[in-house]
Amino acid sequence: MTTAADIRAWMRDTMTATGLTIREWASRSGVAPSTISRALNADYEFVTSGRTLEKLARGAGVKAMPFSAIEAPPPALGLLPIRSTVQAGAWLETDLSDQSEAEHYPAAPDPRFPLQTQWLSRVQGESMNALERNGRPAGLYPGDLVHCVDVEAIDYRPRTGDIVEVERIRAQGGVRELTLKEVEVTPRGLLLWPRSTLAKWSSPIELAPVSANDHSDPDIEVRIRGWVIGVIRRF
């Protein structure tokens, strides 16, 4: 069975052999830079998916090692971890130093994704309280739990109307912040919208495709990390 350490070693060897930087390799592979930087971090909690590793091999022009059994194990029957609190509004910083055992909640994993990482996030804030689905109110409120699946593990392709958990990474990975938004696909990239009754939540986040010639701040990266596939409302 291929281990995370095997994958990290292959990635480091590939970067040494090709001379690619993380940003260049990500651009050639069609992935976010954090996809590579996180996998190189020995403390990263999830194993990189087979599809992503195939993309990285093609992007670097090298032969992929024979990965096997690399997908995340299925969640415990009837339980999902509450991974973090996510802000429906401004960015909310995630505590990377928290070593406490993850809280779990009785919720069934989605059988469409039997081997992919799934989790719950606790909603905070009101920027998604006016969300609609099929013309009906479907707002997200403080205390709700959104059910997410790892976008990299399912080779996710954003679609207009999707609800996503978005991550902003700053300070060379030292600061991670989360928010919830609705996707709009445009010719220039993605717009990630709040849907709120409050006027202060009315502007989208613009998410352009990754490019090797991107002149934006290299110390800030914004990426979709989870596709929201359900919500649990607790009373």
Side-chain angles (χ1 to χ4, degrees):
M1 182 180 69
T2 303
T3 67
D6 295 331
I7 294 170
R8 281 193 295 274
W10 174 79
M11 293 176 72
R12 292 189 181 114
D13 290 346
T14 298
M15 292 181 69
T16 299
T18 61
L20 289 170
T21 66
I22 289 177
R23 198 169 183 82
E24 290 168 341
W25 194 6
S27 177
R28 293 186 184 188
S29 305
V31 302
S34 63
T35 299
I36 299 172
S37 61
R38 287 180 301 131
L40 290 170
N41 184 345
D43 294 327
Y44 183 55
E45 60 183 309
F46 298 115
V47 177
T48 307
S49 73
R51 291 179 181 178
T52 298
L53 292 166
E54 290 173 1
K55 288 182 180 180
L56 292 174
R58 289 195 298 268
V62 300
K63 182 178 179 180
M65 65 181 292
F67 300 112
S68 62
I70 59 172
E71 300 289 359
L77 183 64
L79 291 174
L80 285 175
I82 299 178
R83 187 174 176 186
S84 53
T85 297
V86 59
Q87 183 81 11
W91 296 100
L92 179 69
E93 185 172 341
T94 297
D95 184 1
L96 298 177
S97 64
D98 185 3
Q99 300 297 316
S100 59
E101 186 175 348
E103 178 186 357
H104 286 73
Y105 188 80
D110 191 314
R112 293 176 296 172
F113 312 106
L115 296 177
Q116 287 74 29
T117 302
Q118 300 180 44
W119 67 89
L120 302 173
S121 289
R122 188 181 290 105
V123 177
Q124 176 175 302
E126 299 179 313
S127 81
M128 297 293 281
N129 65 3
L131 185 67
E132 293 186 355
R133 278 287 174 272
N134 300 316
R136 297 181 178 180
L140 300 175
Y141 298 95
D144 287 352
L145 297 173
V146 288
H147 182 171
C148 302
V149 60
D150 182 8
V151 297
E152 292 178 6
I154 62 173
D155 199 20
Y156 172 72
R157 298 289 188 272
R159 300 167 299 178
T160 295
D162 283 355
I163 308 304
V164 292
E165 185 173 281
V166 188
E167 181 180 48
R168 182 168 68 180
I169 304 166
R170 299 188 289 116
Q172 298 181 339
V175 177
R176 295 177 185 270
E177 301 160 303
L178 300 173
T179 189
L180 288 172
K181 294 292 179 280
E182 182 177 21
V183 173
E184 180 187 356
V185 179
T186 76
R188 296 183 59 183
L190 302 181
L191 295 179
L192 305 177
W193 288 93
R195 300 300 186 195
S196 179
T197 56
L198 304 179
K200 65 179 179 177
W201 307 127
S202 58
S203 299
I205 299 169
E206 297 185 28
L207 193 58
V210 177
S211 169
N213 299 318
D214 187 359
H215 299 294
S216 60
D217 189 337
D219 291 328
I220 298 177
E221 179 189 339
V222 179
R223 61 179 287 272
I224 295 172
R225 79 167 187 173
W227 175 33
V228 176
I229 56 177
V231 61
I232 299 170
R233 180 148 298 152
R234 297 186 293 179
F235 295 99

